[in-house]
Amino acid sequence: MSLVFRLEDYARYLARVGGAAYIDITRRTDPARVDRVWANLYGVVRAYGAPWIVQVWTKDAAGVLARGGSVLRCLRRYGTTLTAQVTVTGLSRSAWEPRTPPEPFVGVTELMALMGGPEHVTWRYDPIIPKVHRLARFRRMAKQAASRGITRCVVNFLAPPGRYKRVDARLAASSILPGWSEGMPGYDDDWRAEVATQLVEVGTGLGLTVAACAESAGLAEQVPGLGRATCGDHAWFVALSGRDPGPAPTSGSRPDCGCAAYFDVGLYGQRQRCHQCLYC
C-alpha cells in the first residue's frame, strides 16, 4: 500500500485483488474537509470503472454529503456498495477536537439513507484517551447511535507513548494530558480491559456489538463479548453487496489490523485543513 496517492498504482492494486476492489475515502484525510480526495476518487472511477466497495471515513457526515454526496449517489447507481466508518467521541469543540461538528451524529441519518440503511454504517468511538474518557459520555453517544439504527461499534485506545512521535510531541507541548511525557503511569492493559468491559456492557444493553480495532484488538482475548474489529471487513462487504468476488489479501495499515486489501485515495499532511484533532 503506497503512502502517496498515484492513479497509476490502482492498476497494480486491481491485479492483486481482482473483483474485490475496495476504495477507502479515506483513512488519511477526512473527506468532509478536503475536496482533493473526491477528485482522486473520481479519477480512479473514470479511468478504471466503479469498484466493488467504497468506504467513507469521517467525523462529519454532513460535510461528506455536502462535498461528495453526488459522487456517492453516482457510485451507487453504478453498483458500488457504500459503507462508512463515522467517528463520534463526544469531544467536539474541545482542545482535542476543535473543528469536529458540535452536534454528534449530524448528517448520519441522511448518509445512511444514501448508502442503503443503518447496516452500512459503523460508529467509531476512537480514540479512548486516559484521564479524558468518561463512561457517561460513551453511554450518551451509544444511545444516539442506537436510536439511529446503528448496531456496529468499533473502539480503539489512544496509542501509548512512544508509538507516534508527532503525537507525543504535540501532547507534551500542549500539557493537556499531564503524565504523558513520563510514560502515562496507569495507562496499561488492566485499565484498557476494565474500560472495554464497561463499554461492552453498555453496548450490549443498547443492541450494539462492540469490537476493538488494530492495536487494541488483543483485548478481545481478555474481555468477554468484545470482538476483534475488521473495519475493511470482507464478510461485511459480501453481506451488504450480496455478492462475493473472492477473498482479497489483507493489507493492514497498523499493527494487528486485519482489513482486506484497500486502495486509499487520500493524502497525508492535511491536519490543519481537517479537524485539527490533537491526537491525529
Side-chain angles (χ1 to χ4, degrees):
M1 181 68 192
S2 172
L3 296 179
V4 179
F5 171 81
R6 291 187 297 258
L7 180 60
E8 58 269 25
D9 288 343
Y10 192 73
R12 288 188 286 274
Y13 167 76
L14 281 180
R16 288 177 58 212
V17 304
Y22 151 39
I23 293 177
D24 269 336
I25 179 169
T26 147
R27 301 176 190 228
R28 302 170 178 171
T29 315
D30 197 313
R33 307 289 302 192
V34 179
D35 288 327
R36 172 73 179 276
V37 301
W38 295 104
N40 291 348
L41 176 62
Y42 178 74
V44 169
V45 174
R46 182 175 58 185
Y48 297 98
W52 176 42
I53 302 292
V54 165
Q55 179 156 245
V56 170
W57 295 69
T58 188
K59 296 178 179 178
D60 180 1
V64 164
L65 292 170
R67 290 183 185 271
S70 60
V71 177
L72 295 176
R73 292 184 186 93
C74 185
L75 282 167
R76 194 172 176 203
R77 288 197 298 271
Y78 289 163
T80 294
T81 295
L82 304 175
T83 65
Q85 302 277 327
V86 178
T87 299
V88 179
T89 64
L91 296 174
S92 176
R93 301 304 168 97
S94 70
W96 289 99
E97 297 181 6
R99 297 178 66 183
T100 53
E103 179 185 343
F105 296 99
V106 63
V108 168
T109 299
E110 293 79 7
L111 183 64
M112 291 189 303
L114 185 157
M115 292 185 163
E119 65 273 18
H120 290 251
V121 172
T122 297
W123 165 46
R124 301 184 69 86
Y125 185 70
D126 174 12
I128 300 168
I129 305 169
K131 297 187 179 180
V132 176
H133 163 73
R134 298 290 183 272
L135 183 60
R137 186 187 304 123
F138 174 82
R139 182 180 288 108
R140 187 167 64 252
M141 298 300 104
K143 288 179 178 178
Q144 293 193 40
S147 72
R148 288 165 170 79
I150 295 172
T151 61
R152 293 166 55 97
C153 172
V154 168
V155 301
N156 200 3
F157 290 82
L158 186 67
R163 180 67 58 81
Y164 297 114
K165 292 182 179 179
R166 290 184 181 180
V167 177
D168 287 348
R170 203 178 296 134
L171 292 179
S174 72
S175 300
I176 194 173
L177 197 57
W180 186 262
S181 298
E182 290 73 41
M184 205 66 203
Y187 183 39
D188 54 22
D189 286 343
D190 288 342
W191 179 82
R192 285 186 279 268
E194 179 184 357
V195 170
T197 299
Q198 295 170 342
L199 304 188
V200 169
E201 182 179 351
V202 171
T204 300
L206 293 168
L208 289 165
T209 62
V210 180
C213 180
E215 298 99 325
S216 302
L219 288 170
E221 299 172 5
Q222 305 175 46
V223 178
L226 182 68
R228 295 179 71 100
T230 302
C231 308
D233 186 343
H234 183 85
W236 183 38
F237 297 158
V238 168
L240 292 175
S241 67
R243 55 192 175 97
D244 187 352
T250 59
S251 181
S253 58
R254 292 183 291 178
D256 295 319
C257 175
C259 288
Y262 61 90
F263 189 85
D264 197 302
V265 296
L267 55 157
Y268 287 115
Q270 304 297 304
R271 179 174 175 272
Q272 292 303 315
R273 296 179 60 192
C274 285
H275 302 294
Q276 299 180 7
C277 297
L278 198 61
Y279 51 73
C280 179

